[in-house]
Every structure is written in structure tokens, then in C-alpha cells.
């Protein structure tokens, strides 16, 4: 797992952006959908939550640092910090703002708490102007931080 990086997570999101049938399967059963791509979640279940015009999702693990390592590699230090783990739940908009992500007041912020049996992954909104991009190029703009919902992908 130490050799993994967010490239696989980016590939998953790019496929969801370019293949509506895959996106549907990913949102219904993330574990099975990433399995179609030859990726595994080990013993954990993968739940994928979608950012929309009305909802912004972010991920935390309040007890430790449960993280989809098979898709994203090692978690960053900030994700494991007690400050992030506690504040992301209590004041998510303030935490997101510290990452440069301002969520409008009319958008609901949902915080998902990973655990030993379940990992979450954010399906970010596809940036405008990238609709005709090939999956390989789309995957390059999907960062680890976008996959846990603290930043937005940018074209």
C-alpha cells in the first residue's frame, strides 16, 4: 500500500465522468465498480458520494485515519491530525475554507465518517469546459484532496 498514489482514484473518477453507466454502478456499489477496473478495497466497503450543485461532500475519520489507501495511497498528515478529524465535523465550512474551498451557503455540506469497515470517496463535480476531454486527461486533474472533498478539481 505504501507504493500506491491517487492516480488510481483519479482514473476511477475520470471513468465515472465519461461513462454514465459506470458512474451509476460506482454510486450504487463502489466496491464492485472499482473491482471492474482491477482495483480492490481489501476488507473494506467503498461508498462513493457525489458532489452536486446542492450538496458538497467531505470525508473524515474521527476515530483514527481510515482512508481508501488502495485507491489513494497513504493519507496526508493533515488527514490524520486530531485538529482536522475533530474540526471537519464541527465546522466543516471553516475547514474547507482553509483549503481554499468556499461552499456557498445554499449548498449543503455533508461530512462522512469513514471507519474500519467502510471507506468513502468523493465523486467531485466535473469542471466546466472539460466535457470533451479524454479520460486520461481528466484523471490528471483529480487530486487526492478532491477525492476526500476538501478541494475542487480545476481544468
Amino acid at each position: 500500500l505504501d507504493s500506491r498514489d491517487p492516480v488510481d482514484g483519479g482514473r476511477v473518477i475520470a471513468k465515472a465522468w465519461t461513462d454514465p453507466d459506470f458512474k451509476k454502478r460506482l454510486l450504487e456499489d463502489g466496491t464492485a465498480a472499482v473491482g471492474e477496473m482491477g482495483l480492490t478495497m481489501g476488507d473494506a466497503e467503498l461508498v462513493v458520494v457525489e458532489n452536486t450543485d446542492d450538496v458538497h461532500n467531505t470525508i473524515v475519520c474521527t476515530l483514527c485515519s481510515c482512508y481508501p489507501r488502495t485507491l489513494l495511497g497513504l493519507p496526508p498528515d493533515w488527514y490524520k491530525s486530531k485538529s482536522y478529524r475533530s474540526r471537519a465535523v464541527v465546522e466543516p465550512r471553516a475547514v474547507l475554507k482553509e483549503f481554499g474551498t468556499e461552499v456557498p451557503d445554499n449548498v449543503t455540506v455533508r461530512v462522512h465518517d469513514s471507519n474500519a469497515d467502510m471507506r468513502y470517496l468523493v465523486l467531485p463535480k466535473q469542471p466546466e469546459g472539460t466535457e470533451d476531454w479524454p479520460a486520461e486527461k481528466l484523471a490528471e486533474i483529480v487530486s487526492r484532496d478532491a477525492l476526500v472533498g476538501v478541494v475542487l478539481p480545476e481544468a
Side-chain angles (χ1 to χ4, degrees), residues 5-7 9-10 13 17 49 51 56-60 67-68 71-80 84 95-96 98-101 120-125 139-154:
D5 62 35
V7 170
I13 299 308
W17 285 343
V49 292
N51 284 352
H56 180 91
N57 297 282
T58 192
I59 312 303
V60 67
Y67 185 78
L71 299 177
L72 303 182
L74 295 174
D77 289 340
W78 59 261
Y79 186 85
K80 299 182 289 184
Y84 174 78
V95 171
L96 292 170
E98 290 170 12
F99 281 92
T101 303
Y120 286 93
L121 188 72
V122 172
L123 172 57
K125 286 175 45 180
E140 293 174 4
I141 64 170
V142 181
S143 69
R144 170 201 67 204
D145 293 357
L147 295 170
V148 293
V150 295
V151 301
L152 306 174
E154 295 181 5

Side-chain angles (χ1 to χ4, degrees), residues 109-150:
V109 174
R110 290 190 182 139
V111 179
H112 302 272
D113 194 357
S114 293
N115 60 52
D117 300 319
M118 185 180 342
R119 305 293 192 273
Y120 286 93
L121 188 72
V122 172
L123 172 57
K125 286 175 45 180
Q126 184 173 353
E128 290 184 25
T130 64
E131 296 79 13
D132 295 329
W133 287 17
E136 297 79 20
K137 186 173 179 182
L138 288 169
E140 293 174 4
I141 64 170
V142 181
S143 69
R144 170 201 67 204
D145 293 357
L147 295 170
V148 293
V150 295

